[in-house]
Amino acid sequence: MTIAENWTVKSQQDVAYSVEIVKDVLDVSNLALVDGESGARRLIVTDNRVNDLYGDRIRAYAQTNMAEHRLLVLPDGELNKNWQAVETVLEAIDNFKLDRRREPVIAIGGGVLTDVVGFACSIYRRNTPFVRVPTTLMGIVDAGVGIKTGANFKTGKNKIGTYFPAVGNLLDMSFLGTLDKRHISNGLAEILKIALIKDERLFSLLEEHGETVLASHFQEGTDYEIEIIARSIAGMLEELEPNLWEHKLERLVDYGHTFSPNIEMKALPELLHGEAVNVDMALTTAIGLHRGLVNRDQAETIFGVMHQMGLPVSHPVADQRLLLQALADTTRHRDGKQRLPLPVGIGNAVFVNDLTEADISAGLKLVAVLGAKAASAIAPQVAGSEAAPVASEEPV
Ligand SMILES: NC(=O)c1ccc[n+]([C@@H]2O[C@H](COP(=O)([O-])OP(=O)(O)OC[C@H]3O[C@@H](n4cnc5c(N)ncnc54)[C@H](O)[C@@H]3O)[C@@H](O)[C@H]2O)c1
Ligand SMILES: [Zn+2]
């Protein structure tokens, strides 16, 4: 043994977790939620909205398949994604006298709920396993498949949180049947993100079926519904897996997330996360067109798909000043470089570090043109008449 006065400790952490699409997770004969073990003890956490819709089924499931359970109901919504919610979960875990080795907490809800429960579990005794059951499209394709947990703190979105995988992620698309259309659009934005940066086939599926899945809430059971969800998750996981702790700052999945944090926070509560992401993607598509990375046809097609999926391409708060500030903030978080993903055609992307004020200004002008064209192209046709004027369209 050498006596020294400084030491370097190196260690690696293996991570393994499962993500699976399951059918009717609340069916009493489906034991996925209790990992095949009937007679378990479980703490279940959900939010008040999900409780209103699914509370009876959750309770019936627990009564049939669990020896003992407690259902904790948190208030829903982004404004309740705070430390108080985390503390409520910590208290419930403590009161339940949970055996950490065999009694994972079950989180059933949207991204807000699963982020908060995951955060509480990660800090209770430093590690209390949890199972995630996302009930929104945003949860199924994004919040419910990675390892980030968190809550908002002061004015900062997700300012506190941890990297902590759920032991199991059970994705049940039947929950989407009760979700309102706007939240379907919201999740479609994150699916479109994956399509634009790395999956041309996924983009074609959205082009062909985006409007249909928005109307059907993915409840038709068609092959394309499954393919859209599965390709989106596969693409997401392919990007996350080699970079789970985000040491590498050039992340393709940050596409749409350069300008959007500032847009989302400034517009709150007017824009949902996915809507702000879409405003960012519309701008960066337009900048791609300006820089010759995307051609006119491709840009028009992308704006058309955004419009069909009910997503906004601009918002009054997203002006030149805010966008420049957002770029500066993101550059700071990305260790001094922009590392900005820009689309190359449809299905590819490139990172750039030289975006200028002039690019943003040109992008904003192109967004106005492309947005108006997409809105007028999809205007309802009255037999024998011209397309309805743009002004009568739903706002983009
Ligand atoms: N951890 C991550 O990697 C990650 C990724 C993306 C987003 N997020 C976070 O996720 C949050 C957004 O998630 P969200 O869009 O799911 O919002 P949300 O959790 O606020 O849910 C939206 C609304 O839908 C309700 N709801 C949930 N399931 C429903 C259902 N099946 N039927 C009807 N209503 C239902 C909720 O009660 C809520 O009112 C944000 O806080 C964001 O930061 C996290
Ligand atoms: Zn996002």
Side-chain angles (χ1 to χ4, degrees):
M1 181 173 65
T2 318
I3 306 294
E5 288 180 14
N6 56 69
W7 294 263
T8 302
V9 179
K10 282 192 183 159
S11 177
Q12 281 186 338
Q13 189 181 356
D14 284 335
V15 173
Y17 64 92
S18 66
V19 177
E20 54 184 310
I21 296 178
V22 295
K23 280 213 158 56
D24 209 356
V25 77
L26 295 180
D27 185 312
V28 288
S29 65
N30 185 348
L31 294 186
L33 210 48
V34 283
D35 202 18
E37 172 208 354
S38 185
R41 283 180 88 245
R42 291 289 187 274
L43 171 66
I44 307 163
V45 190
T46 191
D47 74 28
N48 58 290
R49 176 111 184 85
V50 177
N51 182 50
D52 286 348
L53 293 161
Y54 297 97
D56 289 346
R57 291 194 69 202
I58 295 172
R59 274 180 283 272
Y61 184 94
Q63 271 149 20
T64 308
N65 292 313
M66 297 173 193
E68 191 186 342
H69 78 278
R70 162 138 202 252
L71 177 61
L72 171 68
V73 180
L74 297 180
D76 76 316
E78 190 69 38
L79 292 174
N80 291 306
K81 190 182 183 185
N82 52 27
W83 176 254
Q84 201 190 324
V86 178
E87 205 175 331
T88 307
V89 178
L90 292 172
E91 251 165 48
I93 296 175
D94 202 52
N95 292 339
F96 193 66
K97 309 238 176 306
L98 193 116
D99 177 347
R100 285 192 305 129
R101 258 163 266 276
R102 64 203 78 217
E103 297 172 356
V105 174
I106 298 174
I108 307 178
V112 165
L113 186 281
T114 54
D115 274 11
V116 162
V117 176
F119 186 21
C121 288
S122 71
I123 58 176
Y124 187 80
R125 300 214 160 193
R126 298 189 188 86
N127 175 351
T128 294
F130 80 117
V131 172
R132 202 159 36 185
V133 183
T135 59
T136 58
L137 186 55
M138 176 65 73
I140 287 175
V141 299
D142 197 337
V145 302
I147 70 164
K148 287 201 264 189
T149 78
N152 302 331
F153 183 66
K154 301 204 171 166
T155 55
K157 187 166 161 58
N158 294 328
K159 216 169 194 178
I160 49 177
T162 52
Y163 293 101
F164 187 68
V167 288
N169 298 278
L170 303 172
L171 317 181
D172 177 353
M173 285 159 63
S174 73
F175 284 112
L176 305 181
T178 53
L179 196 63
D180 63 69
K181 206 166 282 313
R182 190 172 170 202
H183 278 96
I184 301 281
S185 290
N186 189 42
L188 282 170
E190 298 283 4
I191 298 179
L192 178 62
K193 172 188 80 179
I194 298 291
L196 289 175
I197 53 167
K198 63 177 293 167
D199 190 345
E200 196 179 356
R201 160 88 187 148
L202 180 56
F203 184 82
S204 306
L205 286 166
L206 292 177
E207 193 180 358
E208 198 175 338
H209 306 291
E211 216 171 354
T212 317
V213 293
L214 176 60
S216 72
H217 294 219
F218 289 89
Q219 297 305 297
E220 301 285 336
T222 55
D223 289 348
Y224 59 78
E225 286 180 353
I226 289 283
E227 194 181 348
I228 288 172
I229 299 276
R231 289 193 87 91
S232 175
I233 293 169
M236 185 77 181
L237 290 176
E238 201 172 84
E239 293 303 311
L240 293 185
E241 192 174 21
N243 191 25
L244 268 182
W245 280 272
E246 302 180 340
H247 293 314
K248 190 165 164 243
L249 295 171
E250 279 166 353
R251 300 171 74 238
L252 278 181
V253 286
D254 276 345
Y255 182 55
H257 293 70
T258 298
F259 302 99
S260 64
N262 295 52
I263 299 171
E264 186 180 353
M265 287 319 264
K266 183 83 188 284
L268 207 71
E270 243 177 65
L271 283 182
L272 298 176
H273 175 72
E275 293 171 338
V277 167
N278 201 69
V279 170
D280 181 317
M281 295 195 297
L283 174 70
T284 42
T285 296
I287 292 173
L289 171 61
H290 170 66
R291 286 192 159 205
L293 298 171
V294 173
N295 68 34
R296 186 88 192 186
D297 266 6
Q298 290 164 333
E300 286 181 3
T301 309
I302 293 168
F303 270 66
V305 170
M306 289 171 168
H307 188 75
Q308 277 178 359
M309 299 197 312
L311 289 162
V313 296
S314 61
H315 188 278
V317 301
D319 59 13
Q320 178 91 1
R321 213 168 72 98
L322 177 129
L323 295 171
L324 276 172
Q325 183 60 49
L327 183 62
D329 289 350
T330 302
T331 302
R332 200 155 33 81
H333 295 145
R334 293 183 188 155
D335 201 20
K337 283 192 174 172
Q338 293 179 347
R339 303 175 209 268
L340 171 78
L342 282 182
V344 177
I346 293 175
N348 281 300
V350 66
F351 290 97
V352 305
N353 290 303
D354 61 352
L355 202 78
T356 62
E357 202 170 334
D359 286 318
I360 294 179
S361 156
L364 278 175
K365 288 192 185 105
L366 284 168
V367 165
V369 177
L370 292 163
K373 175 138 199 221
S376 64
I378 300 168
Q381 300 282 323
V382 179
S385 80
E386 292 290 297
V390 175
S392 71
E393 277 302 279
E394 62 184 80
V396 289

